[in-house]
């Protein structure tokens, strides 16, 4: 028997947009009398994600206590609604015990930010979205939604990853997800918008609003502590333990859906009838998950879909007959995206502090092959990566110590590894003044370096703590040593 359902919208939206989804679910075994539609304020500048989650608790607790809402229901969220749901669960049910939600179906979730947030906070955003709302677009909500936001950093360390300092202290790593508690599912498209002003934020590797890597809940965290170097001079590396253990959260990446179309299983998106119907099948599959074995099987099924979508980006030219055949199997000739549209990406969210815990805002991350011998060959690898592989760097507007780097994994494998064997990142930081430097008190811009990836699979697998993965977001905390020069303090004996 189908269970009760609630649906939660995203930023700048209302529940009215989800009437078609409600009706479709009603026609597929979920009576509309058992479906609730949530509404929350997202365009007023004073409302934070935490405020919405706090009111969500009051409303849901009240409806459950008087018997109006069943004590167990499934939750479907779209876009920013994912942050609201995670905040509510993590605050109210940090270990998942007692949470009324069993299945959390995320449609294009902005789990780790959206490029649209910065546009929303700009003047064009206020003119487009805020024209009927006193030019307000939800400043606090957008601060949380912005790429590399401190809010996402802190939320992720509460529900998905355990901070190393907590692990060292022996604190138990709990999460509302997995362990027989809440089962999350992520479905996201990888087609850009083709009409209207929304095209402003189009980029490959996204659905026009949310990047695939930013939606995927499978996440990696690490601390690179250059203030505590290891014997070979590199940083002490501290992996962030997963709060969900070895749970593999299902991710399905659909080539035919943009950010809005992923909420409409009643349509085919921009695909033919066969693949267009797949969105609805996935939603029903997630809502029908009844056991850990089911959950693991869904992960395997969806991983095959995601792999097939990414494979469309592995071709070199849209004129390749093999690519045309693979593309037409999805779109049945309805449109003609090139293979670059389906490239696989990853995100690096970096936060840099000194060894006192102070934020470091003026730094540079340099990517190159660590095996290069001459400065000329190193320069070549740096240029190749930064020109052809690194697609975007976003400095968070609340603090540039937090940055999001968007890396084209497909071009990493194709272009960078055409002449290189491995990928490392080095960090340099501008000294805070004339009396203090970073890394070395005698040098202006000393470097610290760590390897992240390699062309050879065996070499990649050897990077157990620092390896980066396609379609994922990685939280990287970098701690650099602050070094006062000699004259900051002296002892002398008067003659």
């Amino acid at each position: 028997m189908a269970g009760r359902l609630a649906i939660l919208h995203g930023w700048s939206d209302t529940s009215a947009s989800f009437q078609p989804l409600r009706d479709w679910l009603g026609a597929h075994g979920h009576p509309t009398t058992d479906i609730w539609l949530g509404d929350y304020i997202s365009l007023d500048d004073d409302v934070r994600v935490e405020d919405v989650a706090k009111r969500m608790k009051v409303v849901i607790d009240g409806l459950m206590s008087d018997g109006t809402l069943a004590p167990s229901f499934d939750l479907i969220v779209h876009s920013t609604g994912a942050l609201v749901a995670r905040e509510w669960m993590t605050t109210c049910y940090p270990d998942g015990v007692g949470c009324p939600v069993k299945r959390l179906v995320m449609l294009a979730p902005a789990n780790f930010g959206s490029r649209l947030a910065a546009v929303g906070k700009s003047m064009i955003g206020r003119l487009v979205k805020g024209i009927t709302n006193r030019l307000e677009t939800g400043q606090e909500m957008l601060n949380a939604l912005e790429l590399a936001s401190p809010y996402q950093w802190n939320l992720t360390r509460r529900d998905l990853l355990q901070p190393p300092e907590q692990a060292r202290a022996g604190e138990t790593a709990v999460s509302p997800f997995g362990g027989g508690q809440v089962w999350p599912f992520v479905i996201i498209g990888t087609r850009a918008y083709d009409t209207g002003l929304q095209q402003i934020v189009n980029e490959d590797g996204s659905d026009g609003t949310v990047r695939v890597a930013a939606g995927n809940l499978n996440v990696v965290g690490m601390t690179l502590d250059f203030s505590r170097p290891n014997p070979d001079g590199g940083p002490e590396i501290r992996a962030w333990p997963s709060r969900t253990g070895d749970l593999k959260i299902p991710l399905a990446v659909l080539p035919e859906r943009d950010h809005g179309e992923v909420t409409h299983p009643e349509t085919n998106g921009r695909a033919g009838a066969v693949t267009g119907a797949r969105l609805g099948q996935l939603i029903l599959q997630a809502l029908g998950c009844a056991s850990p074995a089911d959950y693991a099987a869904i992960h395997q099924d969806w991983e095959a879909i995601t792999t097939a979508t990414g494979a469309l980006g592995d071709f070199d030219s849209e004129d390749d007959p093999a690519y045309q055949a693979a593309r037409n199997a999805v779109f049945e000739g309805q449109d003609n995206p090139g293979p670059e549209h389906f490239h696989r990406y990853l995100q690096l969210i970096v936060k840099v502090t000194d060894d006192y815990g102070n934020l470091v805002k003026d730094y540079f991350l340099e990517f190159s092959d660590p095996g290069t011998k001459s400065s000329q060959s190193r320069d070549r690898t740096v240029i190749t990566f930064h020109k052809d592989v690194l697609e975007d760097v976003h400095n968070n507007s609340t603090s540039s110590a937090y940055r999001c780097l968007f890396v084209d994994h497909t071009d990493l494998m194709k272009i960078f590894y055409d002449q290189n064997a491995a990928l490392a990142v080095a960090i340099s930081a501008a000294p805070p003044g004339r009396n203090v430097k970073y890394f070395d008190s005698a040098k202006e811009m000393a470097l610290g370096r760590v390897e992240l990836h390699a062309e050879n699979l065996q070499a990649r697998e050897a990077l157990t703590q620092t390896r980066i993965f396609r379609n994922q977001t990685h939280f990287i905390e970098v701690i650099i040593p602050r070094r006062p020069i000699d004259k900051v303090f002296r002892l002398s004996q008067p003659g």
Side-chain angles (χ1 to χ4, degrees), residues 226 350 352-353 360-367 378 382 386 400 403 425-432 437-440 443-450 478-481:
F226 289 98
V350 180
V352 180
T353 68
V360 176
K361 300 179 180 180
D362 190 1
Y363 61 89
F364 177 66
L365 298 171
E366 178 186 281
F367 295 84
R378 186 183 66 82
V382 171
H386 286 260
S400 58
R403 299 184 188 175
V425 61
I427 180 170
S428 59
K437 305 187 187 305
Y438 293 116
F439 289 104
D440 190 323
K443 297 180 180 179
E444 284 294 314
M445 295 286 279
L447 289 173
R449 186 183 304 274
V450 64
V478 181
I479 302 173
I480 60 176

Side-chain angles (χ1 to χ4, degrees), residues 268-289:
N268 291 335
R270 279 172 280 177
V274 175
T275 52
R278 184 165 52 185
L279 171 61
Q281 296 165 359
L282 297 179
I283 293 173
L284 294 178
Q285 186 182 23
L287 294 175
C289 181

Side-chain angles (χ1 to χ4, degrees), residues 220 222 452 457 460-461 463-469 474:
V220 173
M222 67 187 80
L452 299 176
L457 177 60
R460 288 202 299 274
E461 291 177 342
L463 299 171
T464 55
Q465 292 183 299
T466 61
R467 180 183 173 184
I468 55 178
F469 299 86
H474 308 73

Side-chain angles (χ1 to χ4, degrees), residues 111-122:
N111 283 312
F112 307 114
S114 169
R115 190 180 174 198
L116 181 62
V119 178
K121 291 196 290 185
S122 68

Side-chain angles (χ1 to χ4, degrees), residues 310-334:
L312 291 170
D314 291 337
F315 294 90
D316 293 327
S317 169
E318 63 181 306
D319 295 327
D320 186 330
Y323 172 70
Q324 293 176 358
R327 178 191 63 200
N328 291 340
V330 175
F331 300 105
E332 295 185 357
Q334 293 183 32

Side-chain angles (χ1 to χ4, degrees), residues 82-134:
L83 293 180
V84 173
R86 286 173 60 199
E87 179 67 40
W88 167 66
M89 290 180 180
T90 305
T91 300
C92 302
Y93 311 98
D95 58 0
V97 176
C99 182
V101 172
K102 184 63 177 178
R103 303 164 192 85
L104 174 63
V105 182
M106 297 179 161
L107 304 178
N111 283 312
F112 307 114
S114 169
R115 190 180 174 198
L116 181 62
V119 178
K121 291 196 290 185
S122 68
M123 179 52 68
I124 188 172
R126 293 188 178 274
L127 290 174
V128 173
K129 288 291 187 179
I131 192 66
T132 60
N133 194 50
R134 308 177 303 280

Side-chain angles (χ1 to χ4, degrees), residues 320-396:
D320 186 330
Y323 172 70
Q324 293 176 358
R327 178 191 63 200
N328 291 340
V330 175
F331 300 105
E332 295 185 357
Q334 293 183 32
D335 70 17
N336 297 288
E340 69 281 351
H341 196 88
F342 302 104
H343 279 197
R344 288 167 277 204
Y345 289 77
L346 58 91
Q347 282 192 156
L348 306 176
I349 297 180
V350 180
K351 173 189 176 184
V352 180
T353 68
D354 64 24
D355 47 358
Y356 301 151
N358 301 307
L359 295 174
V360 176
K361 300 179 180 180
D362 190 1
Y363 61 89
F364 177 66
L365 298 171
E366 178 186 281
F367 295 84
S368 65
D369 184 341
T372 53
K373 303 300 183 182
S374 68
S375 60
Q376 182 177 6
S377 60
R378 186 183 66 82
D379 288 348
R380 174 181 53 76
T381 68
V382 171
I383 292 170
T384 298
F385 185 90
H386 286 260
K387 178 176 178 290
D388 297 323
V389 180
L390 182 61
E391 293 291 327
D392 180 63
V393 178
H394 179 82
N395 293 352
N396 188 265

